[in-house]
Amino acid sequence: MSFLGIEGHDRADLEVILDLADEFTEVLNRPIPRVPALQGKTVAHVFYESSTRTRLSFERAAKALSADVMNFAPGGSSVSKGESLKDTVLTLKAMGPDLMVVRHGSAGAPTRVAAWTGLPVVNAGDGAHQHPTQAMLDSLTIRRRFGKLDNLRIGIVGDIRHSRVARSNVAAFTTLGADVVLVAPRTLLPVDSREWPVTLSESLDEVIGDLDVVYLLRIQAERGGASVFPSLPEYVSRFGLTNRRFAAMNPEAVVMHPGPMNRGIEIADSVADDERALVLDQVANGVAARMAVLFWLLGGERSG
Ligand code: CP
């Protein structure tokens, strides 16, 4: 089995992963934060796009489960000599990994890798398509804060059109019972967003006081996100979480962001550093969430 997206997984699947992540959080808080759950297994990290949080937390997660790791990045590899994705992953497979974690700029690449190799594959972000482990660590962060997602009102704000995080989070949050509102200029919404299980708003000021979670996205300039509105100051004035808008939030509400943040654009500098901004909790929870996903896919025969 692979974990390629949130779609196709029901609430029970997601809750199994979240419950495992709670158990692995306890492991990570021990003096020796390691268990032998995946001893003898090897996880290959295959990252064709840059990453700080996802790559390093997958590595930390695999090692905390006592798995061995292989790390591949195209820089310095034979990709520069023209080797294809298919030949690259078949070459890595010949070295004996049990699972591949794949990030790639093209939607669907992890699915192709799973088909070519026959190995379990975890999608670590593919184009603007899916980022399912981000959705799991975000759901874990919200559940740990509020106890549940049911009936919470979560606003996802910004460049939704180019965001794999938004696609995975909408699916996970609504499956777990939350109400999601997408807040963005029309040009930054996907063309099919009216078919998503969400409500839409073009005014952050109108919804900000009703939200339990304000989930901010950066403008994905590398995917063309900056070319569809007049200017950054105009974007900030309408959709940035400024100090004024932060003050208008419910006092119990929290701010989240998948990172990397663009301070002064989607989030004011002082808001990013406020204790109600859970950005670093998200990063910390990413290790336990990824341990849970790796164990869920590879540890079955041991846990059974
Ligand atoms: N949130 C996220 O995917 O961050 P990285 O690109 O640093 O992995």
Side-chain angles (χ1 to χ4, degrees):
M1 184 170 64
S2 290
F3 193 45
L4 299 167
I6 296 294
E7 274 91 4
H9 295 288
D10 60 14
R11 182 171 180 140
D13 278 350
L14 302 190
E15 288 185 338
V16 164
I17 295 171
L18 294 177
D19 292 346
L20 280 169
D22 277 336
E23 291 184 38
F24 287 130
T25 300
E26 184 271 313
V27 168
L28 291 167
N29 288 328
R30 291 179 190 168
I32 300 175
R34 187 177 286 250
V35 285
L38 295 187
Q39 204 161 38
K41 301 284 187 186
T42 299
V43 175
H45 301 126
V46 184
F47 276 65
Y48 275 75
E49 271 192 341
S50 52
S51 167
T52 298
R53 284 149 283 267
T54 311
R55 186 174 61 79
L56 289 170
S57 66
F58 262 114
E59 183 165 347
R60 174 103 168 81
K63 288 178 176 173
L65 293 166
S66 303
D68 293 317
V69 298
M70 298 163 56
N71 290 319
F72 171 87
S77 79
S78 288
V79 171
S80 64
K81 301 170 197 164
E83 193 158 41
S84 67
L85 174 62
K86 179 176 179 178
D87 284 333
T88 299
V89 294
L90 289 176
T91 298
L92 295 177
K93 183 192 175 184
M95 299 179 204
D98 298 283
L99 176 148
M100 287 189 180
V101 177
V102 177
R103 171 171 286 195
H104 199 281
S106 298
T111 305
R112 299 302 300 145
V113 172
W116 289 326
T117 63
L119 290 174
V121 170
V122 180
N123 182 354
D126 60 333
H129 180 221
Q130 285 282 317
H131 195 349
T133 59
Q134 180 72 44
M136 295 318 302
L137 73 89
D138 288 333
S139 299
L140 181 67
T141 302
I142 296 169
R143 195 173 84 158
R144 292 177 78 86
R145 182 74 174 203
F146 293 98
K148 60 182 176 51
L149 276 77
D150 293 284
N151 303 320
L152 290 180
R153 195 158 160 79
I154 303 176
I156 302 180
V157 185
D159 185 0
I160 291 148
R161 179 171 163 182
H162 300 99
S163 175
R164 55 197 178 206
V165 173
R167 282 172 178 76
S168 287
N169 275 356
V170 165
F173 295 166
T174 55
T175 299
L176 292 166
D179 295 324
V180 176
V181 54
L182 304 182
V183 189
R186 204 167 299 174
T187 50
L188 286 179
L189 285 173
V191 286
D192 63 347
S193 55
R194 289 192 185 281
E195 292 159 28
W196 293 19
V198 296
T199 53
L200 305 176
S201 172
E202 286 189 66
S203 171
L204 183 53
D205 286 318
E206 275 180 15
V207 299
I208 190 106
D210 297 331
L211 299 175
D212 299 296
V213 179
V214 179
Y215 193 103
L216 301 167
L217 298 170
R218 75 185 168 89
I219 303 296
Q220 301 221 15
E222 73 275 26
R223 301 190 211 284
S227 61
V228 295
F229 52 85
S231 70
L232 278 180
E234 194 266 352
Y235 177 84
V236 173
S237 74
R238 292 183 59 205
F239 296 99
L241 188 57
T242 57
N243 288 309
R244 176 183 67 77
R245 290 198 178 101
F246 185 61
M249 284 170 54
N250 179 325
E252 304 298 317
V254 297
V255 179
M256 296 176 66
H257 193 304
M261 292 185 286
N262 290 313
R263 289 172 183 251
I265 301 178
E266 68 270 13
I267 187 166
D269 202 30
S270 56
V271 175
D273 293 328
D274 193 277
E275 62 182 18
R276 284 161 60 206
L278 305 185
V279 180
L280 295 179
D281 301 74
Q282 292 171 258
V283 175
N285 288 333
V287 179
R290 288 171 174 130
M291 287 172 77
V293 169
L294 293 176
F295 183 76
W296 183 57
L297 294 176
L298 281 182
E301 67 267 32
R302 290 169 199 200
S303 63

